[in-house]
């Protein structure tokens, strides 16, 4: 029998349906692989029983001849930003350590309804803030990838670093991710896997720990474009519990995949060819352009004139929303509560409520989260609101307009996903600006709410994966997936990290 842990979503689902193997055998194989890969630190908690119970339900349904769901028999990893009933949900923070929600996020519930099971909760940057998975309270994730001839630990990217490491190490066939400014696409690119952020509003945010509500979107991270299409269909859909959820039917993305780009125009934004761009990234992009032409597309140069302001606008808007969203962690309602010693407080006679808030938040949040809260409250403060927050919102509108105007000239846009391959652990941690620069190609589509995906496209000189990004029109996930498929077929990316864990 094929090694079950090499299989992706479609192969597992179809194999279970055909009786080639049972869902239980699949779940057992992945549970074992997860247990053996503790060195990657990809999971914060593992839930082997959840995976087995879901598998047994699928095997029983099949035995009865019942119809099977689109994810039937597929055990997945769940980013620990999704609330899962009865299973610790932390957002990789100390402040939520031990929090077991009484409810299930809509996206995870949709996946269980489609027949998936859960291998565990995946590590991430704390509150999804970061690009390297080093801000987690539970320790960094180590990428399964290594530079040729080196054993130095590399980042899997972030914030969905646990998801990226697990899928690329083949200890999970697929995982959920969330993307606020690039957290599905950048880690996918750095680990040689595929991930798509849908149009804002496609996937419900209900039950997802909020970072920046006007940007946050869930999406799949998987081995290939087809698996992403299948899983996104299962995740997406209207949810009355999320006021920004789109009340639209979910298209049949998987059934309508088509890699023929004849008649399609692929836009190449000239502003993305930045000064000092790594020549390997530039060469990869040129290769992608050649592949798009080979697939029948017409390639056109386009302009997105406000691109240079996107990162600055994002790092105002996202912290502003984060500072407001994270105000709820006050030590009263859930999670950590730190009570300073009586007498040490600022109130009269013993510590007061303010002291409890301060002590809880000081102990419960990591440095990067505190940095964002400080920036966010600053840009929202009465004296600086117009200079920063209002200005950033105007820039955001201009960036969205750039894309609207570009759609007169093209159907999808092709760019690199990230400006670099995976970097060493610790390399950028002390320099937030260097870290934030990793999002330079992903943030504009986030600000505009557009669907965008990363597809593995090649290896750099050190043998590390690089990704190409496809950005699409609002609601045109199909166009994005189709262009991604055309690239995937031509890139023929099959390299996997060598097992050292
Ligand atoms: N790296 C970006 C940030 O730190 C994006 C994070 C994300 O998309 N969740 O904000």
């Amino acid at each position: 029998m094929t090694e079950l842990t090499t299989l992706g979503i479609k192969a597992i689902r179809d194999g279970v349906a055909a009786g080639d193997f049972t869902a239980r055998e699949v779940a057992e194989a992945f549970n074992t692989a997860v247990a053996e890969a503790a060195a990657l630190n990809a999971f914060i908690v593992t839930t082997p029983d959840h995976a087995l119970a879901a598998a047994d339900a699928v095997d029983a349904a099949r035995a009865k001849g019942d119809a099977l769901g689109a994810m039937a028999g597929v055990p997945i990893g769940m980013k620990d930003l999704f609330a899962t009933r009865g299973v610790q949900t932390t957002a990789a923070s100390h402040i939520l350590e031990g929090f077991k929600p009484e409810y299930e996020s809509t996206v995870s519930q949709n996946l269980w309804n489609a027949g998936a099971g859960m291998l565990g909760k995946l590590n991430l940057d704390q509150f999804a803030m970061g690009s390297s998975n080093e801000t987690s309270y539970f320790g960094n994730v180590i990428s399964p990838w290594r530079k040729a001839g080196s054993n130095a630990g590399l980042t899997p990217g972030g914030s969905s670093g646990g998801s990226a490491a697990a899928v690329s190490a083949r200890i999970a066939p697929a995982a959920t991710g969330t993307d606020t400014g690039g957290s599905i696409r950048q880690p996918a690119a750095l680990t040689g896997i595929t991930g798509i952020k849908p149009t804002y509003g496609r996937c419900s945010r209900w039950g997802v720990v909020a970072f920046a509500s006007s940007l946050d979107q869930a999406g799949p991270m998987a081995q290939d474009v087809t698996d992403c299409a299948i899983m996104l269909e299962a995740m997406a859909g209207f949810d009355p519990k999320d006021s920004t959820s789109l009340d639209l039917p979910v298209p049949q993305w998987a059934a309508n995949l088509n890699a023929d780009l004849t008649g399609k125009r692929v836009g190449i934004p000239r502003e993305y060819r930045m000064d000092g761009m790594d020549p390997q990234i530039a060469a990869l992009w040129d290769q992608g352009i050649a592949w798009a032409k080979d697939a029948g597309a017409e390639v056109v140069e386009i302009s997105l004139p406000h691109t240079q302001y996107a990162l600055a606008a994002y790092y105002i808007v996202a912290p502003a929303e984060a500072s407001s969203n994270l105000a709820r962690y006050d030590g009263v309602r859930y999670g950590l509560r730190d009570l300073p010693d009586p007498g040490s407080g600022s109130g009269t006679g013993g510590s007061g409520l303010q002291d409890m808030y301060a002590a809880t938040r000081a102990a419960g949040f990591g440095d990067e989260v505190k940095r964002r809260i400080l920036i966010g409250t600053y840009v929202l403060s009465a004296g600086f609101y117009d200079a920063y927050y209002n200005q950033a919102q105007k820039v955001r509108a201009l960036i969205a307009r750039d894309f609207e105007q570009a759609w007169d000239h093209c159907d999808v846009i092709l760019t690199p996903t990230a400006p670099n391959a995976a970097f060493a652990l610790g390399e950028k941690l002390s320099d937030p600006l260097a870290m934030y620069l990793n999002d330079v190609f992903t943030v504009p589509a986030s600000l505009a709410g557009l669907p965008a995906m990363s597809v593995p496209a090649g290896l750099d000189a050190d043998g590390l994966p690089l990704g190409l990004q496809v950005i699409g029109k609002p609601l045109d996930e199909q166009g994005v997936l189709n262009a991604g498929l055309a690239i995937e077929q031509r890139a023929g990316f099959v390299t996997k990290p060598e097992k050292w864990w």
Side-chain angles (χ1 to χ4, degrees):
M1 186 166 40
T2 349
E3 169 109 62
L4 291 173
T5 55
T6 62
L7 304 179
I9 294 173
K10 184 172 190 302
I12 292 172
R13 177 195 70 185
D14 293 351
V16 167
D20 297 341
F21 37 77
T22 64
R24 188 172 185 89
E25 286 170 324
V26 175
E28 282 172 346
F30 279 102
N31 280 341
T32 304
V34 167
E36 285 173 0
L40 301 175
N41 201 27
F43 285 89
I44 295 176
V45 293
T46 58
T47 54
D49 293 342
H50 189 295
L52 291 174
D56 288 347
V58 166
D59 288 333
R62 183 177 176 277
K64 277 202 292 174
D66 290 351
L68 299 180
M71 298 280 295
V74 184
I76 59 168
M78 185 63 60
K79 186 176 182 178
D80 197 21
L81 204 63
F82 293 84
T84 42
R85 191 182 296 111
V87 178
Q88 180 182 256
T89 300
T90 66
S93 72
H94 184 36
I95 208 157
L96 280 176
E97 195 174 5
F99 171 55
K100 291 188 178 167
E102 301 290 327
Y103 51 90
E104 189 76 32
S105 82
T106 298
V107 160
S108 52
Q109 187 63 53
N110 287 347
L111 287 162
W112 314 148
N113 293 348
M118 178 164 68
L119 296 164
K121 302 296 292 286
L122 289 158
N123 207 343
L124 65 149
D125 277 300
Q126 194 168 139
F127 284 101
M129 298 172 187
S131 305
S132 66
N133 212 125
E134 291 171 288
T135 71
S136 168
Y137 176 71
F138 300 95
N140 62 272
V141 175
I142 300 180
S143 175
W145 291 86
R146 286 174 162 176
K147 281 188 186 178
S150 162
N151 288 339
L154 299 177
T155 171
S159 66
S160 310
S163 309
V167 175
S168 64
R170 302 294 190 257
I171 62 173
T176 53
T178 63
D179 192 311
T180 301
S183 280
I184 288 175
R185 292 161 283 161
Q186 184 258 16
L190 268 49
T191 56
I193 66 165
T194 310
I196 179 166
K197 174 198 97 74
T199 308
Y200 181 79
R202 277 283 195 205
C203 287
S204 170
R205 291 183 296 106
W206 195 81
V208 186
V209 175
F211 166 9
S213 308
S214 77
L215 295 157
D216 298 343
Q217 263 301 289
M221 299 173 73
Q223 289 184 11
D224 58 28
V225 172
T226 303
D227 282 2
C228 279
I230 294 170
M231 185 162 160
L232 183 58
E233 268 180 55
M235 294 169 72
F238 174 59
D239 179 10
K241 291 188 283 198
D242 171 1
S243 61
T244 58
S245 171
L246 291 167
D247 191 359
L248 292 170
V250 179
Q252 297 200 310
W253 292 307
N256 290 309
L257 282 173
N258 177 2
D260 181 1
L261 302 186
T262 307
K264 299 287 177 200
R265 295 158 306 166
V266 174
I268 308 300
R270 74 172 76 97
E271 292 79 6
Y272 281 54
R273 214 170 273 278
M274 301 186 170
D275 286 347
M277 187 179 213
D278 180 338
Q280 299 191 81
I281 301 288
L284 179 89
W285 197 8
D286 290 340
Q287 177 63 258
I289 292 169
W291 286 331
K293 287 181 184 156
D294 184 59
E298 180 195 344
V299 171
V300 292
E301 190 182 83
I302 58 162
S303 175
L304 298 169
H306 297 91
T307 299
Q308 59 175 314
Y309 307 114
L311 212 51
Y314 172 84
Y315 276 98
I316 290 172
V317 171
E321 295 186 22
S323 73
S324 160
N325 273 325
L326 271 58
R328 74 191 67 174
Y329 305 107
D330 55 7
V332 176
R333 281 165 285 190
Y334 30 46
L336 183 75
R337 173 178 303 166
D338 231 13
L339 292 171
D341 292 339
S344 68
S346 56
T348 51
S351 53
L353 188 62
Q354 292 294 340
D355 302 304
M356 185 198 70
Y357 292 159
T360 300
R361 290 166 68 82
F365 291 135
D367 288 348
E368 181 61 25
V369 175
K370 287 177 187 161
R371 184 178 292 127
R372 307 275 179 125
I373 292 172
L374 286 171
I375 294 171
T377 44
Y378 181 78
V379 300
L380 289 173
S381 61
F384 298 97
Y385 187 93
D386 279 335
Y388 293 106
Y389 185 70
N390 250 348
Q391 192 70 6
Q393 291 290 28
K394 288 178 193 166
V395 171
R396 182 175 186 179
L398 291 172
I399 285 164
R401 199 182 64 183
D402 283 356
F403 282 108
E404 275 160 35
Q405 292 175 344
W407 302 132
D408 289 340
H409 307 286
C410 64
D411 301 294
V412 290
I413 293 171
L414 179 70
T415 78
T417 306
N420 44 255
F423 45 95
L425 292 165
E427 190 179 320
K428 298 184 198 285
L429 198 57
S430 57
D431 184 352
L433 287 184
M435 191 71 89
Y436 298 170
L437 272 172
N438 246 263
D439 307 326
V440 64
F441 298 133
T442 50
V443 150
S446 298
L447 288 169
L450 301 173
M453 94 181 296
S454 180
V455 180
L459 297 171
D460 75 357
D462 293 317
L464 297 178
L466 299 172
L468 285 170
Q469 175 179 229
V470 180
I471 304 171
K473 298 175 187 175
L475 304 178
D476 189 23
E477 284 80 7
Q478 193 71 62
V480 172
L481 290 160
N482 288 352
L485 186 64
I487 292 167
E488 175 181 282
Q489 288 178 354
R490 283 161 185 81
F493 187 92
V494 290
T495 319
K496 295 183 191 65
E498 213 153 304
K499 188 165 187 250
W500 54 263
W501 52 91

